[in-house]
């Protein structure tokens, strides 16, 4: 083929692809424009996960009548003039690409009226071409409606996920911007129903409550730090108590100069700060705002502006890591009995000696250094083979309301009652699912659930799966649901809280095949005996019996050990008998 310059329409569609990946990208660009326009109130409406319609209504400064059409030209922007301006951008937009990109792949209608103008403007474009342009009465501000996204790019359309998933991306985006701008009022309507609203009180904590609910907000610890150097980095936000961990990192929100970004460096700084405080593979809930001089960050890295570069990344890393760590150490209620996996009563050891039980640091089995078995590394183990059944164990007693002390032919076993019960429930549930189906328990009175926006999105998406897993749940108008039956293993738990927690814990998984797995693990966790619970001898013996019958008795479904083993030999050595 000879070289051709692409027709403008093709070029525009290709370019649009970089900025507009999915409905949430449109929402992002429109919301950013509203923020840049100085809006106090930003309303977002979506239909069918944003595919059918996205509308963003703001009360910002509006676009002057003679500039409306220009705003849809590529590289047309009111926010930047020279290359030098790039180093001190304080607006969210600057590339002048969003409106033309969205317009190239959808049908866009703008109604806007600028401050001081008599009459507003209506402009409609289809596939980037203007089809209507006229005067229109309107209040000050801008309404942008994007309909039938990707209607003319079928290839993109095919890559879209379910409406619920696309809708969840949008909810996530709106909640993140609400956290970035607590002084602005955000509302999100899905199919005409309000699913999220922030008050615009200018307090981040209030937005946290709107996003995560009171109970979680109460377990968030405020963090604040400044760098003493001249680059003047400030960090402010909330870090979740380590007890609040989640299965993926989506609940770590990083906002740099008001921009929601994905940044590996800062994510890593946060992860480091939580080091050893969270179970392996789990992630915290964090909202962190980092502010620094605009000339210290390069935001022009990616068309969607989600990635940034710091001029002095080492310093930013250090400030963030220190701030988070310090907050956790000073305010975090480290191991405590109400924590979900309750490590209360863990052992502290020094140089291989047991120094006593009590509220201690969370030890890894390796740190105990007592010939204790780490499940992943069987062979080094004294006495106990990695695979195969447990020997018959005799229960001797309970330690710290969290551990069962038992004796077997090869020494002493300390069993984590919660982890052990999780393993038992998990395998029982899997077995039921494989054959007859999950045994479910009808409730005497149906339970009315009022999930938050993120939870509701999961609920909506997973109603069918939930049915297969022993739940009977039906929509009950608005964003409420009626629960008529639950899996039998949830008997005796606080059902409302449990179900909502499970929605949170499993919600962020995009991949369908692992959702059920994640869900069952979560279910087992909630159904299991807590640590901190006093157990009568008979119940402990029963639990140990059941654990002996499981196929993988040595780890809980999250992969943590259910037991530590101290061999008879090891005991003799420790007591100097050998
Ligand atoms: P950018 O935001 O990078 O400048 P856009 O394509 O998103 O580029 O928008 C082009 C221009 O249109 C903006 O620079 C701004 O002047 C104007 N504009 C877009 N949306 C709004 C809005 N909601 N309120 C006021 N002006 C707007
Ligand atoms: Mg913009």
């Amino acid at each position: 083929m000879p070289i051709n310059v692409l027709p403008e329409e093709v070029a525009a569609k290709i370019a649009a692809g970089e900025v507009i990946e999915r409905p949430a990208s449109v929402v992002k660009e429109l919301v950013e424009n509203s923020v840049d326009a100085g809006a106090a109130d930003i309303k977002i409406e979506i239909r069918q996960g944003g595919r059918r319609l996205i509308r963003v209504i703001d009360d910002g400064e509006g676009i002057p009548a003679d500039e409306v059409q220009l705003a849809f030209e590529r590289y047309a922007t009111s926010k930047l003039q020279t290359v030098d301006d790039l180093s001190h951008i304080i607006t969210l937009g600057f590339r002048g690409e969003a409106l033309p990109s969205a317009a190239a792949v959808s049908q866009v209608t703008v109604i806007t009226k600028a401050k001081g103008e008599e009459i507003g403007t209506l402009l409609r474009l289809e596939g980037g071409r203007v089809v209507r342009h006229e005067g229109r009465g309107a209040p000050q501000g801008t309404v942008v409606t994007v309909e039938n996204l990707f209607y003319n790019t079928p290839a993109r359309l095919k890559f879209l996920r379910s409406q619920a998933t696309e809708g969840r991306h949008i909810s996530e985006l709106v909640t993140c911007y609400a956290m970035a701008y607590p002084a602005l009022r955000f509302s999100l309507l899905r199919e005409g129903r309000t699913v999220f609203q922030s008050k615009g009180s200018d307090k981040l904590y209030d937005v946290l409550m709107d996003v995560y609910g009171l109970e979680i907000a109460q377990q968030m610890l405020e963090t604040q730090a400044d760098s003493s150097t001249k680059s003047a980095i400030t960090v402010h936000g909330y870090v979740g108590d380590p007890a609040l961990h989640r299965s993926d990192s989506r609940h770590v929100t990083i906002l740099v100069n008001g921009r929601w970004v994905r940044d590996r460096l800062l994510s890593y700084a946060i992860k480091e700060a939580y080091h050893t405080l969270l179970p392996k593979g789990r992630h915290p809930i964090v909202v962190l705002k980092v502010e620094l001089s605009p000339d210290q960050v390069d935001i022009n890295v990616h068309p969607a502006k989600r990635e940034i570069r710091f001029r002095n990344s080492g310093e930013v890393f250090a400030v963030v890591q220190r701030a988070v760590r310090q907050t956790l150490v000073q305010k975090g209620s480290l191991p405590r009995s109400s924590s979900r996996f309750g490590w209360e009563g863990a052992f502290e050891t020094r140089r291989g000696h047991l120094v006593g039980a009590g509220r201690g640091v969370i030890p890894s089995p390796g740190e105990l250094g007592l010939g204790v078995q780490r499940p992943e590394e069987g062979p080094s183990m004294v006495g106990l083979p990695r695979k195969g059944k447990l020997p018959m164990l005799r229960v001797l007693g309970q330690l710290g309301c969290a551990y069962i002390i038992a004796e077997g032919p090869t020494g002493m076993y300390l069993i984590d009652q919660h982890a052990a019960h999780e393993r038992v429930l998990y395998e029982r549930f899997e077995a039921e699912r494989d054959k007859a189906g999950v045994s479910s328990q009808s409730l005497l009175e149906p339970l009315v659930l009022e999930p938050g926006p993120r939870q509701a999105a999961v609920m909506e998406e997973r109603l069918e799966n939930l049915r297969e897993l022993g739940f009977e749940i039906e929509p009950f108008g608005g964003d409420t649901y009626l629960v008529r039956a639950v899996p039998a293993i949830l008997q005796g738990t606080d059902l409302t809280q449990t179900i909502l927690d499970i929605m949170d814990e499993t919600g962020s998984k995009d991949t369908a095949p692992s959702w059920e797995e994640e869900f069952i693990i979560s279910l087992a966790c909630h159904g299991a005996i807590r640590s901190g619970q006093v157990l009568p001898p008979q119940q402990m013996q029963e639990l140990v019996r059941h654990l002996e019958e499981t196929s993988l008795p040595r780890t809980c479904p999250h992969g943590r050990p259910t037991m530590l083993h101290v061999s008879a030999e090891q005991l003799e050595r420790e007591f100097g008998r050998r």
Side-chain angles (χ1 to χ4, degrees), residues 29-30 32-38 56 58 60-64 67-68 70-73 75-80 92-101 112 141-144 305:
E29 295 298 335
L30 297 182
E32 290 192 349
N33 281 347
S34 299
V35 172
D36 284 346
V56 175
D58 72 45
E61 63 198 13
I63 310 175
E67 293 179 12
V68 180
L70 189 60
F72 284 86
E73 296 281 330
Y75 309 126
T77 176
S78 57
K79 303 169 191 175
L80 179 95
L92 292 169
F94 58 87
R95 300 174 60 107
E97 284 185 309
L99 291 183
S101 298
T112 183
T142 303
V143 181
V144 182
K305 299 166 288 179

Side-chain angles (χ1 to χ4, degrees), residues 339-392:
S339 114
R340 176 149 300 144
F341 300 108
W343 291 88
E344 170 133 26
F347 284 105
E348 271 183 340
T349 66
R350 260 176 239 133
R351 276 173 279 122
H353 294 270
L354 275 177
V355 295
R359 300 171 70 90
V361 284
I362 302 165
S364 76
E367 280 170 317
L368 288 174
L370 271 173
V372 151
Q373 184 189 29
R374 204 193 239 300
E376 312 84 79
E377 43 173 56
S380 66
M381 183 45 211
V382 199
L384 201 68
R386 179 180 179 188
K387 286 218 170 65
K389 293 273 170 207
L390 282 185
M392 290 275 280

Side-chain angles (χ1 to χ4, degrees), residues 63 292 396 428 534:
I63 310 175
L292 68 178
L396 301 176
R428 189 182 299 165
V534 179

